[in-house]
Amino acid sequence: VEASIPEPQRAAWRKFTPKPFSTTEEFEKETVRHIETTLARSLYNCDEAAAYAGTALAFRDRLVLDWNKTQQTQTFADQKRIYYLSLEFLMGRALDNAMLNVDKKDVAREGLDDLGFRMEDIISQEHDAALGNGGLGRLAACFLDSMASLNYPAWGYGLRYRYGIFKQEIVDGYQVEVPDYWLDFNPWEFPRHDITVDVQFYGNVNRWQDDEGKQQSSWEGGEIVKAIAFDVPIPGYKTPTCNNLRLWGSKAASGEFDFQKFNSGEYESSVADQQRAETISAVLYPNDNLERGKELRLKQQYFWCAASLYDIVRRFKKSKRPWKDFTSQVAIQLNDTHPTLAIPELLRILIDIEGLEWDEAWNIVQKTFGYTNHTVLPEALEKWSVPLMQHLLPRHLQIIYDINLHFLQFVERNFPKDREMLSRVSIIEESSPQMVRMAYLALIGSHKVNGVAELHSDLIKTTIFKDFVKIYGPDKFTNVTNGITPRRWLHQANPRLSELIASKLGGHEFLKDLTLLHKLESFVDEKEFRKDFRDIKYANKVRLAKHIKEHNGVTVNPAALFDVQVKRIHEYKRQQLNIFGVIHRYLQLKSMSAEDKKKAQPRVSIFGGKAAPGYWMAKTVIHLVNQVGKVVNSDPDVGDLLKVIFLEDYNVSKAEIITPASDISEHISTAGTEASGTSNMKFCLNGGLIIGTCDGANIEITREIGEQNIFLFGNLAEDVEDLRHAHLYEKYELDPQLAKVFESIRSGTFGDAGQFGALLNGIVEHGDYYLVSDDFASYVKTQELIDESFKNTEEWTSKMILSVARMGFFSSDRCIDEYAEAIWNVEPLVPKEDEK
Ligand code: 475
């Protein structure tokens, strides 16, 4: 249906097109109007929550004007768009980001002050949008910010979970999960009740020959669930581009109830159907780097892929172009294997519905998709059982078999001598039950596969995808080292540092081109600049100390060395190595003379992060950290020399407080296990130094900032396999210092030792898979080096400044330009004013 206003009436329309507010007074006017009318509150009934809501709505109006303009420009320009498919978008708060991006935070601060509110209190009213687990979801959020800031025409597609990642409470030292219902008031989403897609599940496949003798298939029966679009504006930094993030919510297809059932007295089961449909988008699976093969998860994946592809194809068909143009209009990036069903789904649309031949359809599919791998951990590689897929998606399973047949025939032709190769690379694993290997399907259906840091991209070529390098050649594989958005992770999280840098570089241009930071190097010896830099770090530590006092009830000295490890709790990330190191330090302090204690470097060890609810070992580590904290923090022998803090409910908005306040942060995964890491970049960009292993992006960070500015330790990735093998087949000795740590735990120093038996035995008796003992001595020694280096304030200051100056490479803007060039082949497009 043509819904645009006819030409003769457009003048009247344009006369009343709203103008964005610009002055303080205009901001106040808009905010008060929203509070009084949109929210129906008043002067006598306006708390901070209402003031937040009014402010958010005023800024939302500004974003929407840009958003409309951007979407119009993109539609008229009719050029290639990027579609970023991700099951997770870990956005955090939106208001602060919106204010900074449209460059109106100062205006709002003044206006709020005028109305009787403090900016910081208003910002903290907002509930985090926590639709993600960790690195993968936060990367998607940084990419959205960069794509908008660089004016790429790009859409994100995801699920609108009613419950994001759970809230973590610590009760008696244990993690307790609390549901995160976040949608009570969300001004940042627009429900599009007119944009819906019917998504089919179950049913069966009919096959027949048409009049020309051609084999046809159609998917019949089963049940339908309705997808409803919820759109979220994604503003770019100081540009009119405002892209769209479309999240799908699920609803029963037959409206409120199934009326037939309702009228025939099956009221309860009609309500149950409705609830079952809504369950699909109800909750984010809380596992990081783990796949458990649950049916509901597969339903989520198909629901979201089917709705997104229908939407993308619908948009393409509006342009009335021939199918051969599809690949010059559409680039789809698969954020890990979670959206891999998009590949058989696009084939199904092209073949079953649009009537294309296999070869043409396949050619389109391969050119359309790119696949990013985020992990080599075997337990995270997605596999779905064939019987489950047969039941839920019978037509897709057939298509997957067809893809596999074509692929294996190709392999057989090219490698006639290597019979074993066929079973190794088959999409179907011949286990019982048979399994569909989603990473192979994603790889085969895409034109490019990338890892997320150099080491990781090399590793996937030599381990999980080794055979595929032989089959397709090395050019199908590429690396795009991860990055972070400097807007949120420097400008927003650390405004004082951003201002200091701007004062030196003559403006905030570096936020658009982070490589400009290198100019800071020439100020490294300037006394006043060095002092300002240190003062900012200290002020950020004071802020965190205040947070710790309020939330943990522990007083920490901001002059102490703040040592931070915040990330999801996982054995491969080795928080256990950190806490064992802390215990070692504690034991040393206990046996130290008063004289030596005077020379010791005071430290605050700060931990934060969630454990997956079913991950027992990770929960044990949290418990141990809290038990150690309980003992150490109240030991008068230790005083300020050591404090151990576990920060509850680590999330994006807490990261914005924690990141700028670290002196040292820990990125200490077993070499070869952390694909990239991205918080390492955030800490460095804020003048925090790193203790880390030669893993993921740590390696490239070292190359950029210089090895004298980072504290590396531990075994190398190339030696890990041999060490593990030796542990299993030869007798191995526990590191003697670690043995002392274990003795103290076993003797009950930190409470009931039975609680920690499995954690210790995994290292002592079961092969120490993550090489905690192998790396312990070098970890402890490196921590001692850090103590000494920190005492030398001047030396430390230089390291901080040089680190920041050399972090330019790690902007997610650089990533997006690389994807655009090497994978998507898309160009930026700046929104134009509506032509008069
Ligand atoms: C890596 N999540 C980081 C980051 O590239 C890397 C997997 C399965 C199911 C649910 N969630 C996952 C991940 O695999 C994940 O977050 N991977 C992380 O991606 C961005 O920096 O090293 O661990």
Side-chain angles (χ1 to χ4, degrees):
V1 196
E2 190 53 68
S4 65
I5 304 295
E7 192 51 51
Q9 279 75 40
R10 288 186 190 175
W13 186 282
R14 288 194 178 110
K15 194 168 138 198
F16 298 114
T17 300
K19 298 264 180 316
F21 72 78
S22 138
T23 63
T24 304
E25 214 171 66
E26 286 165 351
F27 163 75
E28 289 178 47
K29 184 176 161 206
E30 288 302 298
T31 302
V32 171
R33 180 176 67 78
H34 274 302
I35 295 172
E36 297 223 359
T37 62
T38 316
L39 303 168
R41 304 282 285 259
S42 76
L43 189 57
Y44 305 101
N45 177 24
C46 182
D47 53 10
E48 284 175 346
Y52 158 70
T55 308
L57 289 166
F59 274 91
R60 182 178 85 164
D61 287 350
R62 275 196 66 115
L63 299 194
V64 168
L65 296 173
D66 282 343
W67 192 27
N68 288 337
K69 209 191 303 167
T70 304
Q71 297 315 316
Q72 253 169 53
T73 305
Q74 291 182 4
T75 304
F76 286 130
D78 194 30
Q79 69 166 58
K80 195 170 187 178
R81 283 193 177 105
I82 306 153
Y83 297 102
Y84 196 82
L85 268 58
S86 180
L87 256 194
E88 306 189 4
F89 288 94
L90 195 43
M91 304 295 285
R93 290 176 177 151
L95 176 60
D96 201 355
N97 182 246
M99 293 191 296
L100 290 168
N101 280 15
V102 302
D103 206 12
K104 287 279 173 263
K105 189 169 176 181
D106 290 336
V107 165
R109 182 183 286 107
E110 238 185 274
L112 283 169
D113 187 62
D114 231 19
L115 300 172
F117 294 96
R118 270 189 46 211
M119 175 62 92
E120 279 60 41
D121 302 332
I122 297 311
I123 287 173
S124 64
Q125 287 296 311
E126 184 173 355
H127 200 115
D128 274 36
L131 306 186
N133 275 285
L136 172 148
R138 183 54 230 178
L139 186 76
C142 283
F143 281 5
L144 290 181
D145 181 82
S146 284
M147 290 190 289
S149 296
L150 295 170
N151 303 302
Y152 284 103
W155 285 47
Y157 275 108
L159 274 184
R160 179 184 181 264
Y161 304 109
R162 270 183 289 132
Y163 296 88
I165 188 67
F166 62 86
K167 281 189 167 306
Q168 178 193 56
E169 287 179 8
I170 301 297
V171 179
D172 296 332
Y174 292 96
Q175 167 174 299
V176 173
E177 299 96 24
V178 178
D180 169 50
Y181 184 77
W182 68 291
L183 291 168
D184 276 332
F185 175 73
N186 178 12
W188 306 107
E189 67 170 15
F190 289 80
R192 304 286 195 193
H193 294 289
D194 54 330
I195 300 177
T196 64
V197 181
D198 284 349
V199 179
Q200 186 177 358
F201 291 103
Y202 309 107
N204 46 65
V205 180
N206 285 342
R207 286 200 182 221
W208 74 96
Q209 295 218 331
D210 67 11
D211 300 344
E212 287 141 40
K214 204 178 135 194
Q215 183 74 42
Q216 300 283 1
S217 302
S218 78
W219 180 18
E220 313 280 351
E223 64 177 57
I224 304 286
V225 177
K226 205 174 263 310
I228 298 173
F230 292 78
D231 287 347
V232 182
I234 307 293
Y237 176 68
K238 292 190 185 172
T239 166
T241 295
C242 188
N243 281 335
N244 193 26
L245 168 60
R246 178 158 286 177
L247 302 176
W248 298 105
S250 62
K251 240 181 154 328
S254 50
E256 293 293 300
F257 297 103
D258 179 330
F259 276 99
Q260 213 137 40
K261 279 190 179 173
F262 184 68
N263 289 329
S264 62
E266 294 177 69
Y267 178 75
E268 278 182 349
S269 89
S270 136
V271 176
D273 285 353
Q274 159 125 8
Q275 284 179 344
R276 215 154 51 89
E278 290 183 8
T279 300
I280 292 178
S281 63
V283 53
L284 166 77
Y285 275 88
N287 301 318
D288 183 84
N289 272 292
L290 179 71
E291 278 295 343
R292 301 214 302 175
K294 290 268 192 273
E295 174 168 352
L296 181 60
R297 169 86 167 177
L298 187 61
K299 274 186 135 177
Q300 289 187 332
Q301 293 185 349
Y302 180 64
F303 171 79
W304 151 65
C305 288
S308 305
L309 270 188
Y310 186 90
D311 208 41
I312 292 166
V313 168
R314 171 166 62 190
R315 196 168 301 121
F316 172 76
K317 286 177 77 166
K318 267 201 203 158
S319 76
K320 304 256 162 48
R321 287 163 173 269
W323 284 108
K324 69 168 177 46
D325 287 1
F326 192 77
T327 57
S328 63
Q329 293 286 298
V330 175
I332 303 179
Q333 192 63 26
L334 307 174
N335 197 23
D336 214 292
T337 54
H338 318 150
T340 303
L341 286 169
I343 289 170
E345 174 66 2
L346 182 56
L347 277 173
R348 187 184 71 84
I349 294 171
L350 294 177
I351 295 169
D352 293 2
I353 301 172
E354 302 294 337
L356 271 63
E357 298 291 336
W358 176 275
D359 287 343
E360 196 190 352
W362 179 249
N363 185 34
I364 290 173
V365 165
Q366 252 198 352
K367 285 192 175 136
T368 300
F369 290 102
Y371 155 51
T372 305
N373 173 282
H374 293 269
T375 179
V376 292
L377 298 188
E379 65 270 29
L381 295 181
E382 262 189 299
K383 289 176 188 175
W384 291 102
S385 96
V386 166
L388 173 59
M389 230 186 242
Q390 169 68 43
H391 180 54
L392 190 69
L393 302 166
R395 178 59 185 137
H396 295 79
L397 185 62
Q398 285 178 350
I399 291 172
I400 291 168
Y401 283 146
D402 288 344
I403 296 171
N404 203 32
L405 185 69
H406 281 92
F407 170 67
L408 292 179
Q409 283 171 348
F410 170 79
V411 175
E412 202 171 24
R413 276 200 302 278
N414 288 282
F415 302 87
K417 302 221 176 64
D418 193 348
R419 300 296 307 171
E420 311 245 289
M421 169 98 98
L422 292 181
S423 67
R424 284 203 309 270
V425 300
S426 172
I427 297 171
I428 306 299
E429 179 183 272
E430 294 301 329
S431 44
S432 68
Q434 292 180 312
M435 304 291 271
V436 183
R437 297 156 160 166
M438 301 306 270
Y440 293 2
L441 179 56
L443 183 155
I444 292 164
S446 300
H447 66 287
K448 284 274 178 189
V449 177
N450 76 284
V452 290
E454 276 178 21
L455 174 69
H456 170 66
S457 296
D458 286 344
L459 278 175
I460 62 176
K461 285 197 283 181
T462 51
T463 61
I464 52 177
F465 300 144
K466 190 172 168 191
D467 289 315
F468 294 89
V469 178
K470 277 194 239 158
I471 294 167
Y472 289 112
D475 291 350
K476 181 159 183 163
F477 298 84
T478 187
N479 171 246
V480 183
T481 298
N482 282 166
I484 55 172
T485 168
R487 273 75 63 181
R488 183 174 294 258
W489 297 112
L490 177 54
H491 192 45
Q492 182 180 319
N494 201 346
R496 286 188 59 189
L497 185 57
S498 182
E499 287 318 306
L500 176 64
I501 295 170
S503 77
K504 291 314 227 189
L505 303 190
H508 282 102
E509 270 305 294
F510 65 95
L511 292 171
K512 284 232 151 206
D513 175 4
L514 202 63
T515 61
L516 293 173
L517 285 179
H518 79 88
K519 294 186 182 169
L520 283 179
E521 283 204 37
S522 58
F523 303 103
V524 69
D525 294 322
E526 220 177 72
K527 217 165 157 206
E528 202 182 333
F529 174 60
R530 293 169 69 86
K531 181 171 183 306
D532 289 346
F533 202 99
R534 280 196 301 266
D535 287 350
I536 290 169
K537 178 60 79 180
Y538 190 82
N540 289 330
K541 289 168 72 178
V542 169
R543 178 162 181 234
L544 180 56
K546 194 165 155 258
H547 180 94
I548 290 172
K549 180 76 195 174
E550 277 167 20
H551 292 82
N552 297 61
V554 179
T555 307
V556 301
N557 178 4
L561 191 164
F562 278 22
D563 172 339
V564 179
Q565 188 177 19
V566 285
K567 51 183 84 227
R568 289 296 292 255
I569 313 291
H570 211 298
E571 285 164 282
Y572 87 82
K573 294 177 189 284
R574 297 203 295 191
Q575 283 90 356
Q576 69 277 38
L577 174 59
N578 184 345
I579 192 64
F580 294 151
V582 170
I583 295 173
H584 169 78
R585 179 175 291 264
Y586 175 63
L587 297 178
Q588 286 208 311
L589 286 170
K590 292 292 278 184
S591 62
M592 223 177 245
S593 68
E595 216 33 44
D596 283 348
K597 270 191 192 165
K598 277 188 204 138
K599 285 182 256 157
Q601 170 58 49
R603 224 184 237 251
V604 183
S605 273
I606 299 163
F607 294 78
K610 294 172 188 178
Y615 194 169
W616 197 83
M617 201 62 106
K619 290 184 152 178
T620 302
V621 171
I622 292 176
H623 185 219
L624 180 58
V625 171
N626 282 306
Q627 288 298 105
V628 172
K630 208 162 113 185
V631 172
V632 170
N633 297 344
S634 59
D635 188 335
D637 287 352
V638 173
D640 260 2
L641 290 178
L642 182 61
K643 289 280 179 273
V644 181
I645 303 296
F646 190 92
L647 290 173
E648 193 173 70
D649 198 39
Y650 176 62
N651 61 12
V652 171
S653 54
K654 296 224 168 75
E656 289 167 19
I657 300 170
I658 297 164
T659 315
S662 92
D663 295 307
I664 275 284
S665 67
E666 309 221 6
H667 308 275
I668 59 176
S669 50
T670 311
T673 62
E674 188 72 275
S676 162
T678 42
S679 75
N680 42 7
M681 303 166 190
K682 293 167 197 166
F683 284 104
C684 248
L685 185 59
N686 284 278
L689 305 189
I690 285 179
I691 177 169
T693 44
C694 294
D695 201 16
N698 291 353
I699 297 169
E700 287 145 272
I701 291 175
T702 307
R703 188 190 305 152
E704 291 293 313
I705 70 175
E707 58 187 346
Q708 63 290 351
N709 298 315
I710 188 166
F711 299 93
L712 293 178
F713 74 97
N715 284 285
L716 301 180
E718 62 206 47
D719 299 321
V720 166
E721 206 189 290
D722 286 349
L723 284 165
R724 281 180 180 162
H725 186 87
H727 290 175
L728 289 177
Y729 299 105
E730 296 159 29
K731 222 175 116 58
Y732 65 99
E733 289 284 315
L734 202 60
D735 174 90
Q737 297 185 103
L738 186 61
K740 292 228 171 70
V741 169
F742 283 11
E743 265 169 46
S744 84
I745 296 174
R746 289 215 155 105
S747 72
T749 312
F750 307 104
D752 177 10
Q755 307 252 357
F756 308 114
L759 179 62
L760 307 197
N761 284 341
I763 294 163
V764 181
E765 286 168 32
H766 301 303
D768 190 11
Y769 189 75
Y770 296 101
L771 310 187
V772 172
S773 177
D774 301 84
D775 283 347
F776 194 69
S778 98
Y779 176 72
V780 166
K781 219 175 118 218
T782 306
Q783 287 287 19
E784 286 164 6
L785 217 69
I786 288 167
D787 287 327
E788 291 317 302
S789 180
F790 188 76
K791 285 179 199 161
N792 186 340
T793 306
E794 292 307 328
E795 179 186 306
W796 193 271
T797 306
S798 300
K799 288 183 197 293
M800 292 202 285
I801 294 172
L802 291 176
S803 294
V804 174
R806 297 171 181 173
M807 282 302 285
F809 179 75
F810 298 99
S811 167
S812 46
D813 295 349
R814 186 264 316 151
C815 305
I816 290 303
D817 280 330
E818 285 183 19
Y819 278 97
E821 158 99 27
I823 301 175
W824 302 331
N825 190 26
V826 289
E827 300 290 334
L829 174 68
V830 180
K832 283 202 285 283
E833 289 300 329
D834 189 11
E835 66 265 30
K836 300 282 139 78

